[in-house]
Amino acid sequence: MSRASLKEKLPILITASVLVLLTLAAGLRFDNFLSLRVLMNLIADNAFLGVIAVGLTFVILTGGIDLSVGSMMGLGGIVAAELITVSHVHPLIALLVPIAVGGFLGWGQGTLIAKLGLPPFLVTLSGLFLCRGIALAISRESVQIEHPFFRTLTNWSVSLPAKASLSLGSIVFILVVFGGMILARQSRFGRTVYAIGGNANSAELMGLPVRRTLVWTYVLSGMCAGLGGVLFALYTSSGNAISGTGLELDAIATVVIGGTLLSGGYGSVLGTLLGVLTLGVVQTAITFMGTLSSWWTRIVIGTLLLFFMLVQKVIELAARRGQTT
Amino acid sequence: MESLLQLQGLEKRFPGTVALDHVDFDLYEGEVHALMGENGAGKSTLIKALTGVHPPDSGTMSLQGKLILPQSPEDAVRHGISTVYQEVNLVPNLTVMENLLLGREPRGPFGIRWKEMRERAESAIARLGLKLDVRAPLSSLSVALQQMVAISRALDVSAKVLILDEPTSSLDSDEVAALFTVIRQLKAQGLGVIFVTHFLDQMYEISDRITVLRNGKKVGTWNATDLPRLELVTQMIGRDASELERSDSVLADAALGSPILETKGLGRRGSVSEVTLSVSPGETVGLAGLLGSGRTETVKLLFGVASPDSGSLKLDGRSLARLKPKSAIRAGIGYCSEDRKREGIFPELTVRENILILAQVKSGWYKPFSLQKQRSMATDLVGRLKVQPADIERPIQTLSGGNQQKALLARWLAVEPRLLLLDEPTRGIDVGAKFEIMALVENLRQAGRSFVFVSSELPEIVRSCTKVLVMRDRKAIKELESGAVSEERIVQEIAGS
Amino acid sequence: MRRVPSWAWAAMVLAGVLLFNALFTPGFFSIVIRDGRFFGSIVDIFNRAAPVGLLALGMTLVIATGGVDLSVGAVMAIGGTIAAGLISRPGETPFAGGKPQPAMAIPVALFGSLLCGMFNGLLVAVIELQPIVATLLLMVAGRGVAQLLANGQILTFHDSGFAALARGATLGIPNPVWILLIGFVLFSVLARKTAMGLFVEATGSNPVAAQYVGIDARAIRFAVYALSGLCAGMAGLITTADIQAADANNAGLYLELDAILAVSVGGTALAGGRFSLVGSMIGALLMQALTTTILTRGVSPEITLVLKAAVVVGVCLLQAPAFREILAKRIRRAPAQ
């Protein structure tokens, strides 16, 4: 492996090793941990986070950031719930609306960022407030979703051996991961995203559609956040305006743990998947322990994040040294 | 020959300046047309207008008889106008083949066809006579190779017009030769090439016609064979070039007193080695050598930006393991970097703050200068160095490159260093400013200050240095004493003959 | 030549909000004296803006170095939890073997938050992690730490001395306003009466050039994060004293965002370089003026969030060169039509 491709491949290898080690450690500690059922539950529990993280990966690969995803998810959930329960729209349509809303808001943010040159951090921070405000204005209370077709959707699952099953949300998550991988690796859009992260100025001078691509990354992230809201509504059978509070942090942490550099240009959707699974294993292990309280999850995630940031730092230094000699 | 590209009455204004003033320009098929001019002449504005970075305010551009108005580099590429810039404008994190074909990758029903892409990239690279693994990340290549990839990329487009904006500044002579071979091939294929360079030899070697710009206006267009070199320089600077003659005063006197800085076999792995030099008060030591010969690396060792791992370094007769910029400054050593933008200016701070900051750092953060004192010091230095405009409260980024350079010199003059390391202090600035800076250095030297002077322009070195250290392949190879300094001699040493 | 200060837009919007209230909100500007203390909407704005204002002071310097501190909200929670823990009722405090130490509450809490700031400084300045990530760490884990300290409880207490920090008044003016004022004066002196402000700006403007003129950029970065932590601790003490409880989950929630918005609306570029402490104070007041206006007008408070977003985007647009260019083109084109 050459020094330069070290920077690309090593982080994901480390993430994979950590994931395997954590899983094995938990498997040794708890009897039922290493089962298909636990794995499937873990995926079902984190499907919404995973979908959001995949969208966010593209934004971060360009060197941008999207802080609005958590509240956009909350908005998506409440919009879906309100449409079904209050406006009696058929779920099939009602569940598509949040994706469109997310895409539209993402387009707005992307336009401000790419066309008018406002800092992504600030625009999406405003987006966070905006979405949360709109969501709360729609309904301050949690809205239960009651609809026969919707119930069919929430209960629908593919049965697997060993009492495991794959929920609709999990399937959507897996599809999104595959779609994201293909988009990143096989499409011009995806390659332009990497090019922008490498050097946006150069990418522009190379004649690549930098601004348009940037706008689309935020649209994609917004749509994924909307879809995350739909999955969360399916998962909880309700919509809640304050759901997804602080989720942007989990999503960013997931992407970073998955080996994507926040400065852009390096990373992968596969890495993000591993990041989601790592987070899931930590959460599940802490639930298995029973005695440990939930705040330990935060501390463990923080520690993991620190570990991965230090690892990335070391790799970066090594790569730089490789270049000068 | 057919006319390929015609620009008429091009005008571009920026707040406060007219960057292009009704400029006409035309390019034939199959010709290399050199665009010459000092900094601020309007060359880069013209190119930016042509490539859609800054569309012109008025005037027309037509390509093969059709009116065009590129709105972005992307748009220009679509029209068939490709550009290779001085700085490598590629993305470091992707592979060579992607850098070659980004935006026009071969695609099939499942997206990008990586195999076909690799084959196309390999043949494009082979066309330049290069051999490299197209799957390697771009960042693993040397800057020169990266530049060749950039050129290869520009050629791969079905380009009609190729703009080369100082593409050779990071290439060695073999690479330049390879590039010129390719350019000649393209010429034969009917491509029009606009060539911007500071290297006169290279320009004369390849160009058919020359257009000279000065202060945003076109001075004229000549056949290259009809415009002798001296005449060209005179047209570019708008005054007699005889001032480029060599000064006698540097021959006259030798060093005063004991050396300030002495090194013996100083080096740093992977950067530069065997640097032995000494600088005494009243000396200007020239570092001559080609780009990449280790000159910048040497001054960085002397200033303590990088730490040496071999050899010894003595400051005022005392041995030091290494210097740090802070302690170097305290010892009276200064360093004016060649990279103004990255290592010199604080863009959004004012000229006053940019000048005074060093003096302030030296006196300590808890002893601030009063605004009045800052103003009088800055005004004085700005006047002495003729910084234009003389408004000290302007953000330094609004000044032209030459004036930024003068302000950076003023920064160092404010603390009166005993030894100032000047790395290409005259690069990319207009001739007038060049003379002023050179004269200033000479005056200060006569007053007992010393300098280490790095320049790519041998006449400058010969003109102003009391002795010269010649560098080649990241090694100091020869020290020429005052009597032995001449352009011929330096060239001989660099060439190793 | 006089230049328009960078906070001019924020000041104009603030003036607009106040003017709106002067016209449409009866009694908005009336100030009454009760129990030797001023009351009124204006006083309220200053009083409630104090925590965000304090955060914005530290944040201004951090942003000026080209960084950002996302952890301030979590550090507020940590500071508040430490203080509440030390003065809660005997037997309830999680530390010091159940013995309350009220006298130690403020110094220990401030020291704790200073340590948090130093941790950020260590990551950013010494290990050279990107500020967003480095401070994200404490933002994620900090609330976990606060909950750990509080054993997952909301710590409540009754201590009139400590509560006076937020609820008391001196010379008729609420104490939080005094604290903010003192903080502002200290920061202004540090930044403008010494050369520290210039060094901070130089570090943010061009870190490499800063190194080449001998500025110890590492020390400066470390210091600004440490200071930011300290400011967050102080803000945490005020909010804790105000509600007489430390809630590790919700204390200072989203306040880091308010602080960043205040700084950036106040004219300090997020990319670093030039900063304006006055601008940040105006920004903090603007944020609070919007909130207070909405509350006094009986509009549902959710709208505050939407409005904040709109104001921030608006002010940033007005400061953005690209947007100005488009505006200028429109204006130039208009007469031709």
Side-chain angles (χ1 to χ4, degrees), chain B residues 371-412:
Chain B
L371 194 60
Q372 208 180 358
K373 185 175 175 199
Q374 290 186 31
R375 288 215 171 109
S376 74
M377 277 173 80
T379 311
D380 175 48
L381 285 161
V382 160
R384 254 171 81 196
L385 287 165
K386 304 196 183 70
V387 178
Q388 290 296 330
D391 175 6
I392 56 166
E393 297 302 326
R394 203 182 241 273
I396 197 166
Q397 60 189 347
T398 62
L399 268 56
S400 73
N403 284 301
Q404 289 179 4
Q405 183 67 49
K406 288 192 212 165
L408 290 182
L409 267 174
R411 175 190 288 174
W412 286 104

Side-chain angles (χ1 to χ4, degrees), chain B residues 34-38 41 43 197 200 203 210-213 232 236:
Chain B
L35 194 56
M36 304 296 288
E38 289 296 299
K43 286 172 306 188
T197 183
L200 299 188
M203 190 277 291
I210 302 168
T211 290
V212 176
L213 298 178
L232 168 67
M236 280 163 64

Side-chain angles (χ1 to χ4, degrees), chain B residues 22-251:
Chain B
H22 290 92
V23 172
D24 300 335
F25 180 86
D26 68 333
L27 178 70
Y28 298 143
E29 283 180 6
E31 84 161 336
V32 176
H33 195 149
L35 194 56
M36 304 296 288
E38 289 296 299
N39 271 71
K43 286 172 306 188
S44 39
T45 314
L46 184 75
I47 285 169
K48 281 178 181 160
L50 202 51
T51 52
V53 178
H54 288 312
D57 296 332
S58 65
T60 61
M61 301 190 263
S62 56
L63 186 65
Q64 294 177 318
K66 271 196 298 198
L67 280 182
I68 55 165
L69 188 56
Q71 292 298 321
S72 64
E74 188 190 350
D75 199 23
V77 168
R78 256 199 306 272
H79 283 111
I81 301 173
S82 290
T83 313
V84 174
Y85 298 89
Q86 178 179 10
E87 283 157 39
V88 179
N89 279 293
L90 297 173
V91 286
N93 54 330
L94 296 182
T95 59
V96 171
M97 62 175 172
E98 283 197 83
N99 271 292
L100 283 171
L101 292 162
L102 215 53
R104 44 177 186 271
E105 304 93 338
R107 285 185 294 186
F110 304 107
I112 296 165
R113 284 197 231 254
W114 291 96
K115 206 172 150 231
E116 191 183 332
M117 186 153 154
R118 188 176 151 194
E119 288 159 6
R120 271 174 58 179
E122 274 167 352
S123 71
I125 286 291
R127 208 168 137 195
L128 288 190
L130 295 176
K131 257 191 128 78
L132 47 93
D133 181 5
V134 296
R135 286 167 306 174
L138 187 83
S139 57
S140 65
L141 306 185
S142 70
V143 177
L145 276 177
Q146 292 188 17
Q147 186 66 281
M148 296 301 265
V149 172
I151 290 167
S152 177
R153 174 182 170 90
L155 295 179
D156 189 78
V157 198
S158 45
K160 298 179 189 122
V161 174
L162 177 63
I163 301 171
L164 299 173
D165 189 357
E166 303 226 24
T168 55
S169 46
S170 59
L171 304 188
D172 67 26
S173 53
D174 287 348
E175 289 164 333
V176 171
L179 169 65
F180 281 4
T181 311
V182 175
I183 293 180
R184 289 197 186 95
Q185 277 174 26
L186 296 168
K187 247 174 80 161
Q189 290 163 19
L191 208 81
V193 179
I194 300 175
F195 187 39
V196 180
T197 183
H198 277 132
F199 299 102
L200 299 188
D201 289 336
Q202 291 178 5
M203 190 277 291
Y204 274 112
E205 189 186 333
I206 194 89
S207 304
D208 300 302
R209 287 194 300 161
I210 302 168
T211 290
V212 176
L213 298 178
R214 192 170 69 228
N215 296 331
K217 293 197 178 79
K218 175 168 156 177
V219 178
T221 301
W222 293 267
N223 284 325
T225 46
D226 299 341
L227 189 67
R229 189 173 297 218
L230 200 65
E231 173 83 16
L232 168 67
V233 175
T234 307
Q235 295 293 354
M236 280 163 64
I237 64 178
R239 61 175 137 162
D240 206 305
S242 64
E243 287 175 56
L244 291 170
E245 294 297 304
R246 154 167 174 68
S247 129
D248 294 330
S249 64
V250 290
L251 285 172

Side-chain angles (χ1 to χ4, degrees), chain A residues 53-54 56-57 60 250-261 271-272 275 312:
Chain A
V54 168
L56 188 63
T57 305
I60 292 181
D250 290 344
I252 295 170
T254 306
V255 175
V256 173
I257 289 174
T260 299
L261 292 190
T272 300
Q312 288 191 356

Side-chain angles (χ1 to χ4, degrees), chain A residues 290-321:
Chain A
T291 54
L292 277 183
S293 316
S294 66
W295 59 80
W296 274 103
T297 318
R298 314 249 72 187
I299 296 175
V300 172
I301 291 174
T303 314
L304 270 178
L305 199 57
L306 178 64
F307 171 72
F308 278 97
M309 283 173 351
L310 293 178
V311 165
Q312 288 191 356
K313 195 75 212 171
V314 171
I315 292 170
E316 208 172 287
L317 288 178
R320 206 179 298 157
R321 195 157 305 146

